C-alpha cells in the first residue's frame, strides 16, 4: 500500500575531489516510503547531514541519483530546485531556522505565501498548525521571545505548512534540553500518526533514536544497518 | 509581505538605520540649499542683466543679425503684437525698442552713444528704469528731449538743461541729426551702458532716423526667467516660419553671462557630488553590514524555497526604503528652509552689499524654489540606493545555499 517517495541510487559524495578527497557518502542506496518515521544515526562525520542535504536537494552528489516521487532531482537547475523544495520538502534545521523579524504566525504563513496559497486558507492553516504544536498562545511572539524548544516547534509548523511530501530534520533536538526534545518528538510523532506526515531526522540522542520506527545507521559514509524497530516503543 | 520583511529588517538595528537615513537627509538638505542659493542668485543676475540689457527674448527682423542697421527694422503693428502675445500664456508683456549708434557731442567733446528709442512706461515696467533717475525728470513723447547715462554725461561734461547734439545715419542712408535738451540723467546699473546710453522717446527717435512706426527689437517678457525657453520656442515656432523674423534668447544675446553662470553651476555640482559620494559610502557600509550579518538567514530562506529574485527584491526594498526615508526627511526640512528664505531673502551687508547696490540691484541673497530642486535630489539618492543594493543582490545570486547556511 505504501509507495517509495524517496529513492537514492548509489549516492556518492566526495568533497574536495582534487585536493584532499573526503568520501562523505559511499554508494548509498536507500528507499523511503510515505508515512515513515525514520532516524539517521551514526558517529560525527559519518555523513548524516550530507545524506539529508542530498535528499533535500541542497547539495549535488558526485555520482548516483536521488529520485523523489519518481522525479530525478539530481540534474535540476538551481531555480528548479528552489521551486521543487518549496513545493515538496519541509525543512527543520538545527538552529537559525526562523526569520527573526517575523512573528511565529508570520513565519508559518510566509512559506504558504511563497507557495502563493489562498489567503484565507493560509490564515486558517497557520493557526491550526500553531495550535497543534502547542503555541496557540504565543502566535504573535517573535523568535527571540520564544524558547529554543518553542522555536523548533514553530519550525516544524512551518515545515508542515507547505504540505510537503516529507520533512527533513537535521538534528532538530541538538540544541534542546531533554524535556523540550521529547516534547518536540511528541509533536512530530503525533503529526506522523494522525496525518501520515513522513519524517526523516538525524540525531545523536539515544532517547530520540528510541522513538523512531526505522533506524538507519551510517558509518564512514556508508549504510551500516537499516533496522525497522517496534512501532509501539513510544514510551520515553 | 516582502515589503513588511524589508521594513522590519531595517529596524533590526534601529540606530544604524537612523544614522544612515539622517546622513542622507543632511546630504539632501545641503544639496538642495546649495542649488537653491546658486540658482536663486543666477536667476536674480540673469533677471537684472536681461531686463536692462537685452531682454529675455528678442524678436528681430531676420536680416538684423547680420546687418544691424536701421534698414532692417520692422513695423510696430498692433496685429503683430497681438499675434505674438497669443503664442504662449506665460508671456507677460512686450517692449518695443528702436536701437542705433550715433555720435553724441557737447560743446567740448564727442563720444559714441548707444541711442535707444523707448516707451518709457513699458521700459519702466521691465526694469524700473525711472527709479534709476539721478537728476532731472523723464521726457514726454514728442518733446524731443533725452535722458542719458551719468557716465556719458560726465565724459561729455554736460548736465540737465544742457543740449546734446546727436549725429548719425538714418534709414536708407539719410542723415540723422538734431539738437536735444537733456531732461534727466540715470545711473545705469551696468557700467558700459552707463557710459553709452541715450534714451529718447520712441516716436521722437523714429522721426530723427526717418523710421516712423518702425522698431529694431521687440522684447518678449516671460512671467518668470525659467519660462524663457518654452516661451521662446512657442514664439519662434509661430513667428519664424516665413523667414521674416528671428527670435533670440538671453543666452544667445549674452553668451558671456551664460558662460559665467555655467562655470558657477559646475562648482555647485562638484560640491553636491562630493556630498553624495560621502553619503553613498555610508549607505554602502550599512547595506554591506546588513548583508554580511544575514548570510546564514539568506541560506535558510533559499533552502526553504524563497526564490533568489524575491529575496533580491527584499534587499532592493531595504536599500530603497533607507533612501526614501532620507530623501523625504531631507526634502521636508530643506523645503521649510528654502520656502522661508524664498519669501524672506537674506539681506546682504557690508562691501558686497554696497557693490551690489552700486549696480542698482537690491542687496539680497535670493533663493530658488521649484519642484525640480527636490526631484533632482530624490532621483540622485534613489539611483544611488539602487546602485548600492546591487552588491547584496549579486551576493544572493552567487550564494551557495549550503555554504550560506553554515556561515
Ligand atoms: N563542505 C564540505 N567540504 C569538505 N568536507 C566536508 C564538507 N561537508 C562535510 N564534509 C565532510 O564530510 C563528512 C561527512 O560530514 P557530515 O556533515 O555529513 O557528517 P555528520 O554525520 O552530519 O556529522 P555530525 O554528526 O557531526 O553532524 C565529514 O568528514 C565532513 O568533514
Ligand atoms: Mg551533521
Amino acid at each position: 500500500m505504501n509507495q517509495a517517495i524517496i529513492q537514492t541510487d548509489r549516492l556518492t559524495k566526495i568533497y574536495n575531489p582534487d585536493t584532499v578527497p573526503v568520501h562523505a557518502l559511499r554508494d548509498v542506496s536507500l528507499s523511503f516510503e510515505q508515512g515513515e518515521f525514520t532516524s539517521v544515526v551514526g558517529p560525527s562525520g559519518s555523513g548524516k547531514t550530507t545524506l539529508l542535504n542530498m535528499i533535500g536537494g541542497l547539495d549535488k552528489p558526485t555520482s548516483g541519483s536521488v529520485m523523489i516521487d519518481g522525479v530525478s532531482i539530481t540534474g535540476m537547475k538551481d531555480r528548479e530546485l528552489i521551486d521543487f523544495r518549496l513545493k515538496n520538502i519541509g525543512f527543520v534545521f538545527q538552529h537559525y531556522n526562523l526569520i527573526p523579524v517575523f512573528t511565529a504566525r508570520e513565519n508559518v504563513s510566509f512559506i504558504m505565501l511563497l507557495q502563493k496559497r489562498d489567503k484565507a486558507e493560509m490564515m486558517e492553516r497557520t493557526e491550526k498548525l500553531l495550535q497543534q504544536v502547542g503555541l496557540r498562545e504565543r502566535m504573535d511572539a517573535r523568535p527571540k521571545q520564544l524558547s529554543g524548544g518553542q522555536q523548533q516547534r514553530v519550525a516544524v509548523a512551518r515545515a508542515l505548512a507547505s504540505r510537503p511530501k516529507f520533512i527533513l530534520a537535521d538534528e532538530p533536538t541538538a540544541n534542546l534540553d531533554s524535556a523540550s526534545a521529547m516534547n518536540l518528538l511528541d509533536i512530530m510523532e503525533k503529526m506522523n500518526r494522525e496525518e501520515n506526515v513522513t519524517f526523516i531526522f538525524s540525531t545523536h540522542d539515544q532517547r530520540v533514536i528510541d522513538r523512531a520506527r526505522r533506524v538507519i545507521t551510517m558509518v564512514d559514509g556508508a549504510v551500516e544497518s537499516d533496522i525497522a524497530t517496534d512501532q509501539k516503543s513510544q514510551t520515553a | 509581505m516582502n515589503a513588511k520583511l524589508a521594513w522590519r529588517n531595517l529596524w533590526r538595528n534601529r540606530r544604524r538605520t537612523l544614522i544612515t537615513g539622517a546622513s542622507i537627509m543632511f546630504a539632501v538638505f545641503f544639496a538642495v540649499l546649495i542649488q537653491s542659493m546658486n540658482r536663486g542668485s543666477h536667476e536674480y543676475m540673469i533677471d537684472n542683466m536681461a531686463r536692462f540689457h537685452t531682454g529675455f527674448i528678442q524678436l528681430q527682423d531676420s536680416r538684423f543679425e547680420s546687418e544691424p542697421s536701421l534698414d532692417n527694422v520692422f513695423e510696430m503693428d498692433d496685429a503683430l503684437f497681438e499675434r505674438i502675445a497669443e503664442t504662449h500664456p506665460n508671456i507677460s508683456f512686450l517692449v518695443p525698442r528702436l536701437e542705433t549708434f550715433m555720435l553724441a557731442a557737447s560743446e567740448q567733446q564727442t563720444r559714441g552713444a548707444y541711442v535707444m528709442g523707448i516707451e518709457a512706461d513699458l521700459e519702466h515696467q521691465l526694469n524700473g528704469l525711472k527709479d534709476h533717475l539721478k537728476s532731472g525728470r523723464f521726457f514726454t513723447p514728442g518733446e524731443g528731449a533725452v535722458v542719458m547715462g551719468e557716465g556719458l554725461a560726465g565724459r561729455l561734461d554736460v548736465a540737465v538743461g544742457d543740449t546734446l547734439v546727436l549725429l548719425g545715419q538714418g534709414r536708407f542712408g539719410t542723415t540723422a541729426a538734431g539738437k536735444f535738451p537733456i531732461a534727466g540723467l540715470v545711473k545705469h546699473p551696468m557700467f558700459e551702458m552707463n557710459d553709452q546710453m541715450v534714451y529718447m522717446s520712441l516716436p521722437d527717435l523714429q522721426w530723427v532716423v526717418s523710421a516712423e512706426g518702425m522698431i529694431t527689437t521687440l522684447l518678449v517678457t516671460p512671467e518668470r526667467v525659467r519660462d524663457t525657453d518654452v516661451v521662446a520656442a512657442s514664439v519662434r515656432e509661430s513667428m519664424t516660419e516665413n523667414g521674416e523674423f528671428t527670435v533670440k534668447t538671453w543666452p544667445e544675446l549674452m553668451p558671456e553671462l551664460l558662460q559665467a553662470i555655467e562655470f558657477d553651476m559646475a562648482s555647485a555640482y562638484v560640491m553636491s557630488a562630493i556630498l553624495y559620494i560621502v553619503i553613498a559610502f555610508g549607505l554602502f557600509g550599512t547595506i554591506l553590514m546588513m548583508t554580511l550579518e544575514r548570510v546564514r538567514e539568506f541560506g535558510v530562506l533559499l533552502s526553504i524555497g524563497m526564490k533568489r529574485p524575491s529575496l533580491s527584491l527584499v534587499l532592493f526594498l531595504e536599500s530603497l526604503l533607507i533612501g526614501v526615508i532620507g530623501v523625504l526627511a531631507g526634502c521636508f526640512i530643506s523645503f521649510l528652509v528654502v520656502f522661508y528664505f524664498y519669501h524672506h531673502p537674506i539681506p546682504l551687508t557690508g562691501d558686497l552689499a554696497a557693490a551690489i547696490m552700486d549696480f542698482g540691484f537690491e542687496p539680497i541673497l535670493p533663493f530658488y524654489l521649484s519642484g525640480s530642486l527636490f526631484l533632482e535630489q530624490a532621483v540622485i539618492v534613489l539611483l544611488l540606493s539602487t546602485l548600492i543594493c546591487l552588491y547584496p543582490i549579486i551576493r544572493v545570486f552567487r550564494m551557495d545555499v549550503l555554504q550560506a547556511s553554515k556561515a
Side-chain angles (χ1 to χ4, degrees):
Chain A
M1 179 164 106
N2 283 348
Q3 80 217 62
I5 50 168
I6 308 168
Q7 215 150 15
T8 71
D9 182 29
R10 279 168 292 139
L11 204 54
T12 298
K13 179 69 180 183
I14 304 171
Y15 287 110
N16 316 322
D18 307 324
T19 52
V20 193
V22 179
H23 283 76
L25 289 180
R26 303 166 193 265
D27 285 331
V28 175
S29 296
L30 287 166
S31 133
F32 299 85
E33 291 175 358
Q34 175 72 46
E36 279 193 23
F37 200 67
T38 297
S39 175
V40 180
V41 304
S44 183
S46 58
K48 304 182 292 294
T49 298
T50 308
L51 176 62
L52 294 189
N53 285 344
M54 295 293 159
I55 296 173
L58 294 171
D59 203 355
K60 298 248 181 223
T62 309
S63 68
S65 68
V66 177
M67 303 266 279
I68 289 173
D69 242 1
V71 179
S72 167
I73 62 165
T74 313
M76 280 188 184
K77 287 196 212 81
D78 174 74
R79 249 163 37 133
E80 293 173 292
L81 263 179
I82 290 182
D83 202 49
F84 189 86
R85 288 201 294 268
L86 176 64
K87 289 184 178 137
N88 299 287
I89 310 172
F91 289 93
V92 178
F93 304 100
Q94 186 179 335
H95 43 205
Y96 297 108
N97 257 305
L98 304 176
I99 303 169
V101 294
F102 277 167
T103 61
R105 189 205 298 269
E106 287 165 341
N107 263 287
V108 174
S109 42
F110 184 63
I111 192 141
M112 290 189 274
L113 202 87
L114 291 179
Q115 290 180 321
K116 303 193 169 68
R117 290 286 169 94
D118 170 72
K119 193 148 190 175
E121 181 208 339
M122 188 170 93
M123 282 167 51
E124 196 191 303
R125 187 164 170 78
T126 301
E127 296 199 0
K128 186 179 150 220
L129 285 168
L130 284 169
Q131 171 154 29
Q132 283 176 321
V133 300
L135 288 171
R136 200 191 154 75
E137 259 65 69
R138 307 301 320 266
M139 284 199 293
D140 294 311
R142 295 213 182 166
K144 236 191 254 168
Q145 301 162 316
L146 298 172
S147 72
Q150 289 172 328
Q151 289 183 30
Q152 288 305 67
R153 285 191 267 154
V154 176
V156 169
R158 182 190 62 193
L160 285 163
S162 64
R163 296 183 194 279
K165 295 205 168 75
F166 55 92
I167 293 179
L168 296 173
D170 192 10
E171 309 208 30
T173 61
N175 285 5
L176 306 183
D177 61 70
S178 59
S180 304
M182 288 308 117
N183 179 261
L184 188 70
L185 254 287
D186 289 342
I187 286 162
M188 286 164 57
E189 218 167 41
K190 192 177 95 187
M191 294 296 183
N192 173 260
R193 207 172 43 237
E194 290 174 2
E195 309 202 3
N196 205 28
V197 180
T198 312
F199 279 93
I200 301 167
F201 50 93
S202 71
T203 186
H204 282 292
D205 186 339
Q206 189 55 48
R207 282 174 308 165
V208 175
I209 300 169
D210 287 344
R211 313 255 319 237
R213 291 201 304 273
R214 176 183 174 192
V215 177
I216 296 167
T217 309
M218 307 280 300
V219 172
D220 204 12
V223 177
E224 197 200 44
S225 69
D226 183 352
I227 301 165
T229 58
D230 178 15
Q231 288 197 2
K232 272 168 283 168
S233 64
Q234 279 170 12
T235 38
Chain B
M1 203 76 162
N2 281 341
K4 199 192 259 178
L5 184 54
W7 179 253
R8 295 216 189 134
N9 279 333
L10 276 191
W11 303 108
R12 269 159 98 160
N13 190 330
R14 229 170 116 152
R15 193 169 354 148
R16 186 172 60 199
T17 302
L18 284 178
I19 290 172
T20 312
S23 67
I24 294 172
M25 175 181 85
F26 283 116
V28 168
F29 175 74
F30 285 117
V32 166
L33 227 59
I34 291 171
Q35 293 291 336
S36 175
M37 285 171 28
N38 204 253
R39 291 187 212 174
S41 58
H42 291 157
E43 267 208 353
Y44 191 59
M45 206 152 88
I46 294 163
D47 198 68
N48 280 306
M49 298 279 276
R51 281 173 194 279
F52 276 104
H53 195 16
T54 60
F56 301 97
I57 302 164
Q58 283 194 5
L59 187 80
Q60 302 169 341
D61 186 283
S62 56
R63 292 160 300 177
F64 190 78
E65 188 184 5
S66 52
E67 198 196 339
S69 102
L70 287 172
D71 296 348
N72 297 325
V73 292
F74 62 97
E75 195 164 354
M76 272 177 79
D77 166 357
D78 286 347
L80 175 74
F81 283 20
E82 255 164 51
R83 223 176 101 204
I84 294 167
E86 276 163 11
T87 54
H88 200 281
N90 287 6
I91 292 176
S92 177
F93 58 95
L94 305 174
V95 181
R97 283 177 179 173
L98 180 64
E99 297 163 71
T100 187
F101 283 96
M102 296 178 98
L103 277 179
S106 62
E107 279 168 24
Q108 295 86 20
Q109 300 273 347
T110 303
R111 294 271 162 184
Y114 186 41
V115 184
M116 194 185 279
I118 57 170
E119 289 196 357
D121 289 337
L122 283 175
E123 201 73 26
H124 179 71
Q125 192 181 342
L126 178 65
N127 53 31
L129 183 62
K130 291 181 179 175
D131 299 336
H132 294 272
L133 195 66
K134 284 288 157 192
S135 56
R137 56 174 178 86
F138 246 82
F139 45 71
T140 49
E143 128 187 63
V146 298
V147 166
M148 62 194 293
E150 261 187 348
L152 181 61
R155 280 159 197 259
L156 292 174
D157 199 17
V158 290
V160 173
D162 292 347
T163 299
L164 187 72
V165 175
L166 290 174
L167 179 69
Q169 207 172 40
R171 203 168 173 217
F172 303 128
T174 55
T175 299
K179 287 175 20 177
F180 305 89
I182 299 169
L185 298 182
V186 288
K187 174 153 180 152
H188 208 287
M190 293 163 73
F191 293 129
E192 53 188 281
M193 295 188 74
N194 200 36
D195 289 347
Q196 291 184 14
M197 281 313 296
V198 174
Y199 290 108
M200 200 184 291
S201 88
L202 184 56
D204 287 353
L205 184 61
Q206 285 170 338
W207 183 79
V208 172
V209 299
S210 323
E212 276 88 351
M214 302 299 218
I215 54 176
T216 51
T217 315
L218 185 67
L219 308 189
V220 179
T221 312
E223 299 279 0
R224 295 170 306 178
V225 176
R226 64 191 87 150
D227 296 334
T228 299
D229 288 339
V230 278
V231 170
S234 302
V235 176
R236 193 171 276 140
E237 197 193 6
S238 62
M239 300 310 296
T240 61
E241 53 197 11
N242 54 15
E244 195 182 345
F245 296 106
T246 51
V247 173
K248 308 202 138 216
T249 55
W250 67 264
E252 297 166 292
L253 297 160
M254 297 183 287
E256 341 68 61
L257 178 63
L258 183 70
Q259 231 169 25
I261 285 172
E262 275 171 352
F263 183 74
D264 208 33
M265 296 267 272
S267 56
Y269 280 127
V270 168
M271 269 169 76
S272 303
I274 292 171
L275 211 58
Y276 278 121
I277 288 170
V278 173
I279 294 316
F281 275 105
L283 181 59
F284 182 69
T286 297
I287 295 296
L288 185 71
M289 294 300 291
M290 285 181 71
T291 308
L292 294 181
E293 67 198 12
R294 287 188 298 167
V295 167
R296 200 194 316 236
E297 203 175 310
F298 295 165
V300 169
L301 286 170
L302 294 174
S303 299
I304 65 170
M306 189 170 196
K307 295 184 178 59
R308 291 178 204 259
S310 308
L311 184 51
S312 304
L313 178 66
V314 172
L315 298 173
F316 170 63
L317 285 174
E318 287 172 7
S319 180
L320 199 68
L321 278 171
I322 300 186
V324 167
I325 292 169
V327 163
L328 287 181
C331 285
F332 180 70
I333 58 167
S334 57
F335 175 77
L336 293 184
V337 171
V338 169
F339 185 81
Y340 178 81
F341 285 120
Y342 178 75
H343 292 287
H344 308 90
I346 301 173
L348 295 174
T349 50
D351 290 348
L352 183 59
I356 292 175
M357 266 194 302
D358 235 29
F359 268 93
F361 303 160
E362 212 184 327
I364 52 167
L365 189 59
F367 279 66
Y368 179 92
L369 180 63
S370 103
S372 67
L373 210 58
F374 304 97
L375 204 67
E376 276 169 29
Q377 313 310 321
V379 168
I380 291 171
V381 171
L382 299 185
L383 279 180
L384 279 179
S385 309
T386 308
L387 205 68
I388 284 167
C389 80
L390 287 180
Y391 170 75
I393 288 175
I394 289 169
R395 288 277 308 226
V396 161
F397 272 90
R398 289 201 180 149
M399 186 172 284
D400 180 81
V401 177
L402 270 192
Q403 227 69 53
S405 313
K406 281 186 196 156

